[in-house]
């Protein structure tokens, strides 16, 4: 690679084509702008959990600048967090349909997570939909098996 090509590549790495302006520097760990880095609030070492967290991420969510997936991935051990991107997740139907799986999806049918306290040891998989409310509804609508999974919500307080 010659010097001109290298300079051109460096220029393109630092500029967004859509915005035509210099990109803000990002933290390599939490993927947020360095001015809004959250790493000081994260555990120094990733936490190992007994429950596997499966994130069903809508494709548009991945493109958003301040998504929470990198923060969760930085806070938890790598084998605890699994991210799946798309709208249809048929390959996960068997895992989601298991009695040891729950989905965090607050709706009228959802039960409060606190009601699971006696059965927590039986839970092996927590599924979370990452997207706007509209995108989350689309994912649930396109994956009928999600409606059959135990749906839970979490209320702060009480």
């Amino acid at each position: 690679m010659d010097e001109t090509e290298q300079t051109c590549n460096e220029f393109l790495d630092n500029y967004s084509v859509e915005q035509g302006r210099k990109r803000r520097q990002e933290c390599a760990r939490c993927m947020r702008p360095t001015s809004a880095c959250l790493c000081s609030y994260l555990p120094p070492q990733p936490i190992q959990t007994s429950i596997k967290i499966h994130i069903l991420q809508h494709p548009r969510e991945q493109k958003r600048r301040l998504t929470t997936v990198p923060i969760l991935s930085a806070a938890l051990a790598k084998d605890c967090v699994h991210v799946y991107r798309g709208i249809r997740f048929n390959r996960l139907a068997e895992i989601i349909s298991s009695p040891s799986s729950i989905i965090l999806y607050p709706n009228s049918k959802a039960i409060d997570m606190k009601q699971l306290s006696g059965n927590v040891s039986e839970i092996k998989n927590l599924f979370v939909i990452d997207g706007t409310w509209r995108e989350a509804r689309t994912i649930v609508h396109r994956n009928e098996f999600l409606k059959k999974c135990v749906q839970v919500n979490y209320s702060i307080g009480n």
Side-chain angles (χ1 to χ4, degrees), residues 109-126:
K109 297 177 185 174
I111 60 172
D112 194 296
M113 283 183 114
K114 293 173 189 160
Q115 294 176 353
L116 298 173
S117 61
N119 301 327
V120 171
S121 63
E122 297 172 16
I123 298 169
K124 303 294 180 214
N125 301 293
L126 170 63

Side-chain angles (χ1 to χ4, degrees), residues 14-156:
N14 291 320
Y15 282 81
S16 170
V17 174
E18 296 89 10
Q19 298 172 354
R21 60 186 168 119
K22 194 170 184 174
R23 287 186 180 176
R24 294 183 283 186
Q25 287 188 331
E26 288 183 345
C27 170
R29 184 175 180 211
C30 71
M31 304 303 292
R32 295 180 62 89
T34 53
S35 61
C37 175
L38 296 175
C39 289
S40 63
Y41 299 100
L42 297 176
Q45 297 297 318
I47 298 170
Q48 185 71 40
T49 66
S50 60
I51 297 175
K52 303 297 179 208
I53 300 172
H54 302 270
I55 300 172
L56 309 179
Q57 188 178 53
H58 192 280
R60 287 191 202 127
E61 190 66 18
Q62 180 183 6
K63 296 175 184 174
R64 294 192 174 97
R65 297 279 298 149
L66 299 178
T67 181
T68 55
V69 169
I71 298 167
L72 186 61
S73 296
L76 298 176
K78 292 201 183 309
D79 63 334
C80 295
V81 180
H82 306 279
V83 181
Y84 307 92
R85 292 182 177 94
I87 295 175
R88 295 183 191 266
F89 300 96
N90 294 329
R91 67 185 185 272
L92 300 173
E94 189 176 331
I95 300 170
I96 292 172
S97 300
S98 163
S100 63
S101 296
I102 60 174
I103 183 167
L104 181 62
Y105 188 68
N107 66 15
S108 60
K109 297 177 185 174
I111 60 172
D112 194 296
M113 283 183 114
K114 293 173 189 160
Q115 294 176 353
L116 298 173
S117 61
N119 301 327
V120 171
S121 63
E122 297 172 16
I123 298 169
K124 303 294 180 214
N125 301 293
L126 170 63
F127 288 84
V128 180
I129 300 174
D130 187 28
T132 64
W133 285 112
R134 184 179 203 163
E135 293 165 351
R137 280 192 299 272
T138 298
I139 288 173
V140 170
H141 180 71
R142 301 256 173 102
N143 298 276
E144 284 294 318
F145 53 88
L146 291 175
K147 295 177 184 175
K148 297 173 185 164
C149 184
V150 175
Q151 298 174 1
V152 297
N153 62 32
Y154 183 77
S155 57
I156 299 174

